[in-house]
Amino acid sequence: MNQEEIKGILPHRDNMLLVEEAEKIDENSAKGRYTIKGDEFFLQGHFPGNPVVPGVILCEMMGQASCVLLADKVKNCTPYFTKMDKVKFKSPVKPGDTLESVCTLTRNRGAFYFIDARGYVDGKLCVSAELSFALVENK
């Protein structure tokens, strides 16, 4: 999927659409990619002279890539984060890096979906988390 196709799943738009391409590997796994250009809003003050992608933004990137797994379920719904658990930051992500998110659906219960997410740069694990989402009907 390119960004235009991803916009059909996610309500995010410029400045907050943080996945450039994504692919569903199988029913329970997907990958997403985003290259950090260096001019993103979240790098302007984090940290001057030594820009590093904030951890919450890394979680958002993985979360957006995860939503590709919900593509056939999001009609008239918005996927909302309900929980981030066991988040671990292993290595900083900087301008020029491409974060590859690997997301695995571990279970779902009704409108709730649970994802194991891992973010890699050049094959090196940088961030991992257990994420959950609720699909909330649009009104």
Side-chain angles (χ1 to χ4, degrees):
M1 294 183 152
N2 61 33
Q3 266 196 333
E4 288 307 309
E5 293 167 311
I6 294 165
K7 287 178 183 179
I9 301 167
L10 296 173
H12 301 75
R13 295 299 180 260
D14 287 340
N15 290 340
M16 275 310 294
L17 183 57
L18 300 173
V19 59
E20 294 169 323
E21 57 184 63
E23 62 182 304
K24 191 171 180 178
I25 305 302
D26 58 37
E27 281 301 306
N28 295 318
S29 59
K31 288 184 180 181
R33 285 171 213 76
Y34 184 87
T35 299
I36 296 30
K37 292 151 204 68
D39 61 352
E40 289 89 353
F41 74 93
F42 50 81
L43 292 175
Q44 292 174 10
H46 198 269
F47 303 104
N50 183 31
V52 175
V53 178
V56 68
I57 297 293
L58 294 174
C59 290
E60 180 67 25
M61 289 174 176
M62 293 187 308
Q64 289 183 20
S66 296
C67 287
V68 172
L69 292 168
L70 309 177
D72 60 338
K73 298 167 182 60
V74 295
K75 284 212 189 285
N76 298 317
C77 292
T78 299
Y80 286 97
F81 264 126
T82 55
K83 186 172 162 182
M84 289 185 250
D85 198 16
K86 298 181 183 172
V87 179
K88 294 180 183 175
F89 303 103
K90 305 261 185 195
S91 185
V93 178
K94 298 181 171 228
D97 290 343
T98 297
L99 184 76
E100 182 174 73
S101 300
V102 178
C103 312
T104 305
L105 178 66
T106 57
R107 66 188 171 99
N108 79 289
R109 175 179 274 170
F112 293 90
Y113 292 83
F114 302 87
I115 309 277
D116 176 68
R118 298 176 187 279
Y120 298 89
V121 172
D122 294 328
K124 181 179 179 183
L125 181 65
C126 295
V127 56
S128 62
E130 294 177 5
L131 308 175
S132 64
F133 299 90
L135 295 184
V136 177
E137 189 174 340
N138 296 335
K139 302 209 182 217

Coordinates of all heavy atoms in Angstrom, one line a residue, residues 3 6 10 12-21 32-37 40-42 53-54 56-65 99 101:
Q3 N 0.8 5.7 0.4 CA 0.2 6.6 1.4 C -1.3 6.8 1.0 O -2.1 6.9 1.9 CB 0.9 7.9 1.5 CG 1.9 7.8 2.6 CD 2.4 9.2 3.1 OE1 2.4 10.1 2.3 NE2 2.8 9.3 4.3
I6 N -3.3 3.9 2.2 CA -3.2 3.9 3.7 C -4.3 4.9 4.3 O -4.9 4.7 5.2 CB -1.8 4.2 4.2 CG1 -0.9 3.1 3.9 CG2 -1.8 4.5 5.7 CD1 0.6 3.3 4.0
L10 N -6.7 4.9 7.6 CA -6.4 5.8 8.7 C -7.0 7.2 8.5 O -6.9 7.7 7.3 CB -4.9 5.9 9.0 CG -4.2 4.6 9.4 CD1 -2.7 4.9 9.4 CD2 -4.7 4.2 10.8
H12 N -5.5 9.8 9.6 CA -4.4 10.7 9.7 C -4.1 11.4 8.4 O -4.2 10.8 7.3 CB -3.1 10.0 10.2 CG -3.3 9.3 11.5 ND1 -4.1 8.1 11.6 CD2 -2.8 9.6 12.7 CE1 -4.0 7.8 12.9 NE2 -3.3 8.6 13.6
R13 N -3.5 12.6 8.4 CA -3.1 13.3 7.3 C -1.8 14.0 7.5 O -1.2 13.7 8.5 CB -4.2 14.4 6.9 CG -5.5 13.7 6.4 CD -5.3 12.8 5.2 NE -6.6 12.2 4.8 CZ -6.9 10.9 5.0 NH1 -6.1 10.1 5.8 NH2 -8.0 10.4 4.5
D14 N -1.3 14.8 6.6 CA 0.0 15.4 6.7 C 0.3 15.9 8.1 O -0.5 16.4 8.8 CB 0.2 16.5 5.7 CG 0.3 16.0 4.2 OD1 0.6 14.8 4.1 OD2 0.0 16.8 3.3
N15 N 1.6 15.7 8.4 CA 2.2 16.0 9.7 C 1.9 14.9 10.7 O 2.7 14.7 11.6 CB 1.8 17.3 10.3 CG 2.4 18.5 9.6 OD1 3.4 18.3 8.8 ND2 1.8 19.6 9.7
M16 N 0.8 14.1 10.5 CA 0.6 13.0 11.5 C 0.5 11.6 10.8 O 0.3 10.6 11.5 CB -0.6 13.3 12.3 CG -0.3 14.1 13.6 SD 1.1 13.6 14.6 CE 0.5 12.0 15.2
L17 N 0.5 11.6 9.5 CA 0.5 10.3 8.8 C 2.0 9.9 8.7 O 2.8 10.4 8.0 CB -0.1 10.4 7.4 CG -0.2 9.1 6.6 CD1 -1.0 8.1 7.3 CD2 -0.8 9.4 5.2
L18 N 2.3 8.9 9.6 CA 3.7 8.5 9.8 C 4.0 7.1 9.3 O 4.8 6.4 9.9 CB 4.0 8.6 11.3 CG 3.8 10.1 11.9 CD1 4.0 10.1 13.4 CD2 4.8 11.0 11.2
V19 N 3.4 6.7 8.2 CA 3.7 5.5 7.5 C 3.6 5.8 6.0 O 2.6 6.3 5.6 CB 2.8 4.3 8.0 CG1 1.4 4.5 7.7 CG2 3.3 3.0 7.3
E20 N 4.7 5.6 5.3 CA 4.8 5.9 3.9 C 4.3 4.8 3.0 O 3.8 5.0 1.9 CB 6.2 6.3 3.5 CG 6.7 7.6 4.2 CD 8.1 7.9 4.0 OE1 9.0 7.0 4.0 OE2 8.4 9.1 3.9
E21 N 4.6 3.6 3.4 CA 4.1 2.4 2.7 C 3.9 1.3 3.7 O 4.6 1.2 4.7 CB 5.1 2.0 1.6 CG 6.5 1.7 2.1 CD 7.5 1.4 0.9 OE1 7.7 2.3 0.1 OE2 8.0 0.3 0.9
G32 N 5.3 -1.9 7.9 CA 5.2 -0.5 7.5 C 6.6 0.1 7.5 O 7.5 -0.3 8.2
R33 N 6.7 1.2 6.7 CA 8.0 1.9 6.6 C 7.8 3.4 6.6 O 6.8 3.9 6.0 CB 8.7 1.5 5.3 CG 9.3 0.1 5.4 CD 9.9 -0.3 4.0 NE 9.7 -1.7 3.8 CZ 8.6 -2.4 3.5 NH1 7.5 -1.7 3.4 NH2 8.6 -3.7 3.4
Y34 N 8.7 4.1 7.3 CA 8.8 5.5 7.3 C 10.2 5.9 7.3 O 10.9 5.5 8.2 CB 8.0 6.1 8.4 CG 7.9 7.6 8.4 CD1 6.9 8.3 7.7 CD2 8.8 8.4 9.0 CE1 6.9 9.7 7.6 CE2 8.8 9.8 9.0 CZ 7.8 10.4 8.3 OH 7.8 11.8 8.2
T35 N 10.6 6.8 6.4 CA 12.0 7.4 6.4 C 11.9 8.7 7.1 O 11.2 9.6 6.7 CB 12.5 7.5 5.0 OG1 12.6 6.1 4.4 CG2 14.0 8.0 5.0
I36 N 12.8 8.9 8.1 CA 12.9 10.2 8.8 C 13.7 11.1 8.0 O 14.9 10.9 7.7 CB 13.5 10.0 10.2 CG1 12.8 9.1 11.2 CG2 13.7 11.3 10.9 CD1 12.0 8.0 10.8
K37 N 13.1 12.2 7.6 CA 13.7 13.2 6.7 C 14.6 14.2 7.4 O 15.6 14.7 6.9 CB 12.7 13.9 5.8 CG 12.0 12.9 4.8 CD 10.6 13.4 4.6 CE 9.7 12.3 4.1 NZ 9.4 11.2 5.0
E40 N 10.8 17.0 10.1 CA 9.5 16.7 10.8 C 9.4 17.6 12.0 O 10.3 17.9 12.7 CB 9.4 15.2 11.2 CG 9.3 14.3 10.0 CD 10.6 13.8 9.5 OE1 11.7 14.3 9.9 OE2 10.6 12.9 8.6
F41 N 8.1 17.9 12.3 CA 7.8 18.8 13.4 C 8.3 18.3 14.7 O 8.7 19.0 15.6 CB 6.3 19.0 13.5 CG 5.5 17.9 14.0 CD1 5.2 17.7 15.4 CD2 5.1 16.8 13.2 CE1 4.5 16.6 15.9 CE2 4.4 15.7 13.6 CZ 4.1 15.6 15.0
F42 N 8.3 17.0 14.9 CA 8.7 16.4 16.2 C 10.2 16.4 16.4 O 10.6 16.1 17.5 CB 8.1 14.9 16.3 CG 8.4 14.0 15.2 CD1 9.6 13.4 15.0 CD2 7.4 13.8 14.2 CE1 9.9 12.6 14.0 CE2 7.7 12.9 13.2 CZ 8.9 12.3 13.0
V53 N 14.1 10.8 17.1 CA 12.7 10.6 17.1 C 12.2 10.3 18.5 O 12.7 9.4 19.1 CB 12.3 9.5 16.1 CG1 10.8 9.3 16.0 CG2 12.8 9.9 14.7
P54 N 11.2 11.1 19.0 CA 10.7 10.8 20.3 C 10.0 9.4 20.4 O 9.4 8.9 19.4 CB 9.6 11.9 20.5 CG 10.0 13.0 19.6 CD 10.6 12.3 18.4
V56 N 7.3 8.3 21.8 CA 5.9 8.3 21.5 C 5.6 8.3 20.0 O 4.6 7.7 19.6 CB 5.1 9.4 22.3 CG1 5.5 10.8 21.7 CG2 3.7 9.2 22.3
I57 N 6.4 9.0 19.3 CA 6.3 9.0 17.8 C 6.6 7.7 17.2 O 6.0 7.2 16.3 CB 7.1 10.1 17.2 CG1 6.7 11.5 17.7 CG2 7.1 10.1 15.7 CD1 5.3 12.0 17.2
L58 N 7.6 7.0 17.8 CA 8.0 5.6 17.3 C 6.8 4.7 17.5 O 6.4 3.9 16.7 CB 9.2 5.1 18.0 CG 10.5 5.8 17.7 CD1 11.6 5.3 18.6 CD2 10.9 5.7 16.2
C59 N 6.1 4.8 18.7 CA 4.9 4.0 19.0 C 3.8 4.4 18.0 O 3.1 3.5 17.5 CB 4.5 4.2 20.4 SG 5.6 3.5 21.6
E60 N 3.6 5.6 17.7 CA 2.6 6.0 16.7 C 2.9 5.4 15.3 O 2.0 5.0 14.7 CB 2.5 7.6 16.6 CG 1.5 8.1 15.7 CD 0.1 7.8 16.1 OE1 -0.2 7.7 17.3 OE2 -0.8 7.8 15.2
M61 N 4.2 5.5 14.9 CA 4.5 4.9 13.6 C 4.2 3.4 13.6 O 3.6 2.9 12.6 CB 6.0 5.1 13.4 CG 6.4 6.5 13.1 SD 8.2 6.6 13.0 CE 8.4 8.3 12.5
M62 N 4.5 2.7 14.7 CA 4.2 1.2 14.7 C 2.7 1.0 14.7 O 2.1 0.1 14.1 CB 4.9 0.6 15.9 CG 6.4 0.5 15.8 SD 7.2 -0.4 17.1 CE 6.5 0.2 18.6
G63 N 2.0 1.9 15.5 CA 0.5 1.8 15.6 C -0.1 2.0 14.3 O -1.1 1.3 13.9
Q64 N 0.3 3.0 13.5 CA -0.3 3.2 12.2 C 0.0 2.1 11.2 O -0.9 1.7 10.5 CB 0.3 4.5 11.6 CG -0.3 5.8 12.3 CD 0.1 7.1 11.7 OE1 0.6 7.1 10.6 NE2 0.1 8.1 12.5
A65 N 1.2 1.5 11.3 CA 1.5 0.3 10.4 C 0.6 -0.8 10.8 O 0.2 -1.6 10.0 CB 3.0 0.0 10.6
L99 N 12.5 3.5 9.6 CA 11.9 2.6 10.6 C 11.0 1.6 9.9 O 10.1 2.0 9.2 CB 11.1 3.4 11.6 CG 10.6 2.5 12.8 CD1 11.8 2.1 13.7 CD2 9.5 3.1 13.5
S101 N 8.4 -1.2 10.6 CA 7.6 -1.7 11.7 C 7.1 -3.1 11.3 O 6.6 -3.3 10.2 CB 6.4 -0.8 11.9 OG 6.8 0.5 12.3

